[in-house]
Every structure is written in structure tokens, then in C-alpha cells.
Amino acid sequence: MMDRGLPEEEVLGLIQEMRDKDFRYDRLFSTMCTIPHPIAIRAHDIFVETNLGDPGLFPGVAEVEYRVVRMLGEMLGCPDAVGYVSTGGTESNIQAIRSARNASAIRDGNIVVPESAHFSFDKIGDLLRLEVRKARLDRNLKVDLGSVEELVDDRTVAMVGIAGSTEFGQVDPLPGLAEIALDRGCRLHVDAAFGGFVLPFLKADWRWDFRVEGVTTITVDPHKMGMSTIPAGGLLFRSLQDMKTLETETHYLTVAKQASLTGTRSGAAAAATYAVMMHMGMDGYRKLVGQCMDLTRRLVARAREIGVEPVIEPVLNVVALKVDDPAGVRAALMERDWHVSTTRSPRALRMIIMPHITAENIDLLIRDLDQVLRSAGAGA
Ligand code: 0PR
């Protein structure tokens, strides 16, 4: 740091220079975040200095968080669910598994997750010293129940199902997983970090949330399809008892116990989430998700016009396209200022159709994809 600070204008100029290096959201097909709703940004601003880690000092924002949890619980089929606003999917997944581990007497156990699980579960294995067993997927890229049954044993502290997988947007057969969980007396965590703000607003009724008996915890991220600000994650527990397994004593704070992973916590992101959920309502999200799904179908139709097929018929607003050399195609698209990503198995080109994506940019992207594939074909 310099001895003497710079004038405000100069600092803002420096900040802007760096900000200008960031890519613009409308060209980003690789992200599960989006431009927050304007009302979320305003609420974020109003609560910017608040800390949910010491709720006695900020009873206002503590009430906001309580209301957010209540709305999330209603949205996910359990109005009495408890939980908190976390920093995102990774923290929520860590805490869900930690609570399951704490609720069981096992300390060196395992968790059974689908092969398609987000990499946060590898971090969890490392942090909590749990073996991460990965169950096979079926040809629709849903977890194979037979494989799960083979992997679950008496040292399994939790099973995991995904409602909206990171790479393919697929939804695991949660009722089947719940049956196994109930049968084996095992907790079942649902990672709906992405799908949690999509599935409740689709016309088809997927059975995956707390309405499925046996589901104990759910991760759902307002900073993804919820249109809130970063860092807004959500973790919900069906039972208060399970959340209590996470509590530590907090001697000198205004509250005696804390269940969250981090101490100081952004009240701003919780307020942003409250504001956007209150403003959008179920209807607003239905419309938003409807638009994203329409655009998803448009992308798939345009891809088919140039002879490219999706790996699976999209369930959510995630598309994986079968192309030769996805990494090479991704790099070529990046030269044209399009940002897409790739999947591991099967290898494909991955695109997420977030609220910032427009029909025009889908058409332009597919036009460029066509050119990239043709020149690769010509060069081969
Ligand atoms: N669970 C699922 C199903 C996810 O898709 C993700 C993140 C997580 C958990 C972890 O959530 P946090 O990143 O909030 O901790 N999925 C995205 C991904 O890995 C996150 C992301 C978002 C990546 C924006 C890039 C990006 O630009 O693809």
C-alpha cells in the first residue's frame, strides 16, 4: 500500500480500468450466475454494512434472513424448513454433509454421490475426511439406483442426489434415492444449487424436493437462477435437530450459538434475495424460467439446423452439444468473444441459457459455431 492515498477520482479510474477487462455477461454462455435484478442491487446497497454473523446487532437483517428461509421452504415443499443464507452452493453442500456426519456417530465414513456431482463434494471429502463414492450414471446421465445401492453401506453418512447437474442440467431420480435412504436409515441431501430456482417454475412436476419423504437437506442458490447478488446461497433442513448438529458456542456474541460455517456473513446478499423474491413472486420466476427454456429450445433447434445434436434433450436451461474436439471448438469460439465451457463425460460443448442470454446472441453464436466446425472440417 502507498504511504499517501490517491484522490477518489483517480482510484475510481483505476478500478474502472480493471473492471473493463471483465467480459460482458451477454456473451457468457459458461456461467451459472447472471446480472442481478435491479431491486436486488438496491437492497444489497441498503444492507451493505450488515453482518448476519452477529444478528443481535442487526435484528433487521436477521428478520430478512428468516423470511427468505421461509419463502425458500415454501418454494421447496416444506414451509417449516429451517436454514440460513450461505455464501453459495459449496458452503451449503459442506454444511449439509457436515450435519449428516455429525448426526451419525460415524467419523471416518463415506458419502455416496452421483458421478455428475459438483466438485464441491471432492472438497467435502477432503475437509471432513469422508470417502467420496461416485455412483454410475445411466444413459440419460441420471444416477443409476443399482450403483447407489451397491455403494451404500453401514458407514455411509449421507447420500446425495442432484436436481440440476452442473454439466448437463439433469435431475436424479430423487424418489428412488429417497427409498434407498429410508431403507438404509441414511440422510439424503439434494444439491439443487442450480435447479432449485428452475424446477419449481417448470410446467412438468418433477418430484425432487421436501415433498419427497426422506429428503433431509437441500442446497438452493439465489445467486444463480434466483437473480440475487453474489454471495447468496441457501441451505435448508427439514428438521431443526439436524441444523443444531452444526452449532458451536459463540461466547461473546449477541447470540449464544452459531450454525453457519462462516462467522461474519453478508446481510446484503440476504436482503437482495428477499427483495428479488418478493418482487418477482412465483409468477415472475415462472415467466423468467419460461423465457430461458424457450431460448434453450431455440438453441437446440438452431444447433440441429447445422447438424449438431445435444447429448440429452435439455431438462433445464443447460445444453451440452456433441462436437468433435470440444476444447478446440471452445477455444475457437473464445477468439470470437463467445464464452462456452466443456463437459467431462461424455465430452461436449456446454452452454447455460441464463436470463442475460438473448435470442439474437443464440443465433449469432450458432452461426459462429457453424463456421468454426466447417473450418475445422476443412482443415482435417
Ligand atoms: N452445486 C451445483 C449443482 C453447482 O452447479 C455449483 C456451481 C455448486 C454446487 C457450487 O456452487 P458455488 O459455486 O456457489 O459454491 N456451479 C457452477 C459451476 O461450477 C458455478 C459457476 C458459476 C461457475 C459461475 C462459473 C461461473 O462463471 O459451473
Side-chain angles (χ1 to χ4, degrees):
M1 204 193 315
M2 296 171 302
D3 262 341
R4 294 184 60 186
L6 297 175
E8 197 175 296
E9 282 313 309
E10 210 171 315
V11 175
L12 290 174
L14 289 171
I15 285 285
Q16 195 57 48
E17 253 174 54
M18 287 181 276
R19 180 69 179 109
D20 290 343
K21 293 181 183 165
D22 292 338
F23 294 109
R24 289 194 356 237
Y25 260 108
D26 65 330
R27 313 281 295 189
L28 304 188
F29 285 75
S30 60
T31 173
M32 288 189 154
C33 292
T34 192
I35 305 164
H37 192 290
I39 201 167
I41 298 171
R42 286 182 65 183
H44 191 107
D45 227 30
I46 294 169
F47 280 86
V48 77
E49 67 212 40
T50 63
N51 173 14
L52 278 168
D54 203 356
L57 300 183
F58 302 99
V61 77
E63 181 180 335
V64 165
E65 181 179 46
Y66 171 82
R67 292 184 184 207
V68 168
V69 168
R70 183 110 198 137
M71 283 193 280
L72 290 173
E74 282 165 5
M75 185 174 98
L76 304 180
C78 182
D80 298 330
V82 293
Y84 76 93
V85 176
S86 71
T87 53
T90 300
E91 180 184 340
S92 295
N93 286 341
I94 292 171
Q95 289 282 84
I97 301 301
R98 191 175 145 230
S99 77
R101 199 254 343 236
N102 290 356
S104 81
I106 306 163
R107 280 296 170 272
D108 56 345
N110 64 69
I111 54 174
V112 177
V113 310
E115 241 169 38
S116 51
H118 184 257
F119 54 77
S120 49
F121 289 96
D122 295 323
K123 299 182 185 177
I124 290 169
D126 185 35
L127 274 169
L128 299 179
R129 299 243 158 264
L130 294 167
E131 180 196 348
V132 183
R133 297 185 174 173
K134 298 193 176 171
R136 276 192 316 275
L137 306 184
D138 67 17
R139 56 192 174 79
N140 289 316
L141 306 174
K142 298 180 186 208
V143 75
D144 180 275
L145 293 175
S147 174
V148 172
E149 278 206 287
E150 280 166 26
L151 293 174
V152 173
D153 64 15
D154 57 6
R155 305 205 71 71
T156 302
V157 299
M159 290 166 45
V160 175
I162 308 172
S165 63
T166 307
E167 289 173 291
F168 299 97
Q170 186 54 285
V171 182
D172 286 327
L174 263 307
L177 286 173
E179 248 177 67
I180 301 172
L182 290 171
D183 187 47
R184 305 286 187 98
C186 187
R187 282 176 164 70
L188 175 58
H189 173 60
V190 180
D191 182 357
F194 183 72
F197 266 96
V198 183
L199 289 162
F201 309 111
L202 292 177
K203 288 193 188 85
D205 185 15
W206 289 84
R207 298 240 311 134
W208 66 276
D209 60 12
F210 283 123
R211 288 170 301 166
V212 178
E213 191 197 345
V215 169
T216 41
T217 42
I218 299 181
T219 288
V220 50
D221 279 353
H223 71 202
K224 296 192 169 77
M225 281 295 288
M227 296 200 79
S228 186
T229 55
I230 298 171
L235 172 59
L236 295 186
F237 299 81
R238 187 193 289 276
S239 112
L240 177 63
Q241 216 44 44
D242 278 358
M243 183 157 112
K244 279 183 172 292
T245 66
L246 295 174
E247 284 180 351
T248 46
E249 299 201 353
T250 49
H251 323 292
Y252 49 81
L253 295 187
T254 52
V255 284
K257 294 194 164 102
Q258 193 172 80
S260 56
L261 184 61
T262 61
T264 300
R265 290 196 291 132
S266 166
T273 305
Y274 175 78
V276 66
M277 288 182 80
M278 287 299 285
H279 184 63
M280 297 275 285
M282 295 289 287
D283 257 349
Y285 283 112
R286 256 178 233 123
K287 208 166 142 216
L288 181 78
V289 166
Q291 284 163 356
C292 291
M293 292 308 296
D294 283 347
L295 290 180
T296 300
R297 283 183 283 271
R298 182 188 188 103
L299 193 151
V300 172
R302 291 279 180 276
R304 285 192 163 121
E305 283 167 18
I306 61 163
V308 175
E309 283 294 314
V311 176
I312 56 166
E313 213 50 58
V315 175
L316 305 183
N317 43 334
V318 179
V319 180
L321 295 178
K322 292 185 205 167
V323 296
D324 290 335
D325 185 22
V329 173
R330 176 195 195 180
L333 286 173
M334 208 183 287
E335 276 174 28
R336 297 170 183 237
D337 194 24
W338 295 114
H339 300 264
V340 302
S341 58
T342 54
T343 61
R344 294 165 298 179
S345 175
R347 290 199 176 281
L349 209 57
R350 167 182 176 256
M351 294 155 191
I352 303 130
I353 320 306
M354 294 299 290
H356 56 257
I357 298 295
T358 59
E360 189 191 0
N361 276 0
I362 285 176
D363 295 354
L364 291 172
L365 169 69
I366 295 293
R367 186 202 62 191
D368 280 358
L369 175 63
D370 189 29
Q371 288 174 4
V372 165
L373 293 175
R374 278 168 197 272
S375 62

